[in-house]
Amino acid sequence: MTNELAHKARKVVAIEFDEELYEKLKNKFQSNNKVDIIYGDILNYTPRIPSYCVFSNIPFNITSEILNKFLSDKKNEKMFLIMQYEPFIKYAGNPYGAETLRSMLYKPFFDMDLKYRFDPSDFKPAPQARIVLASFERKQFPDVKKEEEKLYKDFLAYIYTNKGETFFAKIKTLFSSNQIKRVWGQIKIDKTTKISEVPYESILKVFKLFFLYGTDANKQLVVNSFNNMNKQNNKLQKNHRNNSKAKSWNSNRKRKPYHRNNV
């Protein structure tokens, strides 16, 4: 992959976590001034250049960490990732699957496409999971403006974590009674519709109306919802990791330490 990219790109920076493979790559490309080989963890590496593209066969066990890191970096112009199909549809949403909080978070800023479906025989050993080549290309004109971004994230976090079975129940507290009637008349969705069934365009329209006409008091309801949601998720993940480590230690004290796959 590094070799092919070196023929196409002006500059290739390859991050390798496996020390043995790092040495092999370093020796192979030592005379090629278009390629820099760096030993390290991709999650701890941030390109210090105005813009870049990512091309990687990512470790499946840290898919969400990689996607969240690079989709949140405004210097990232586009990504081509060899990844599992299931995580891809969670980030891409429609037309590949139902919209999710993750797809709604990044869809205003990226066009996400499935470029290629691999056959299991393309890999050795053949994987059980479905593997695809996916692209994430930054939109030239994002659907959410810079001044709207923070409120948009808080708005999404609030409606996805708010009580209620339906989309209407989740958003009705953010508008006055007259406003919610007008909002509902514009998006033309049944009041029994669940949030997972609401099109991206409708949620975007509701947010735009909230941004323009929501009162300061109602906007205060959603403030810090995104950060609070992340803190809660991080706490749950930490507890899960601690419980998993305890179980592993009790079941097999001779188990080798965890080692991440290569990027």
Side-chain angles (χ1 to χ4, degrees), residues 98-145:
E99 299 291 4
T100 66
L101 173 58
R102 288 174 182 171
S103 68
M104 292 294 181
L105 275 172
Y106 298 114
K107 189 163 279 193
F109 313 102
F110 285 88
D111 289 316
M112 295 169 262
D113 295 307
L114 194 159
K115 295 296 187 182
Y116 185 76
R117 296 176 185 266
F118 288 95
D119 190 271
S121 61
D122 292 330
F123 301 89
K124 293 181 181 180
Q128 296 294 321
R130 291 179 289 179
I131 312 300
V132 299
L133 174 63
S135 70
F136 302 78
E137 187 164 356
R138 187 173 294 280
K139 293 180 179 180
Q140 185 177 0
F141 302 103
D143 299 330
V144 171
K145 298 177 182 178

Side-chain angles (χ1 to χ4, degrees), residues 162-170 191-196:
N162 195 18
K163 294 179 180 179
E165 292 294 323
T166 66
F167 180 56
F168 180 80
K170 288 176 174 292
K191 288 187 178 181
T192 62
T193 304
K194 295 180 179 179
I195 193 168
S196 60

Side-chain angles (χ1 to χ4, degrees), residues 64-104:
S64 61
E65 289 92 331
I66 289 175
L67 282 167
N68 293 338
K69 174 184 175 68
F70 287 103
L71 290 176
S72 299
D73 188 353
K74 296 188 183 303
K75 295 181 295 183
N76 173 24
E77 294 295 328
K78 62 181 70 173
M79 295 196 298
F80 296 91
L81 302 180
I82 298 172
M83 60 184 295
Q84 288 178 286
Y85 177 67
E86 286 72 16
F88 167 69
I89 61 176
K90 288 182 180 179
Y91 280 83
N94 187 59
Y96 304 101
E99 299 291 4
T100 66
L101 173 58
R102 288 174 182 171
S103 68
M104 292 294 181

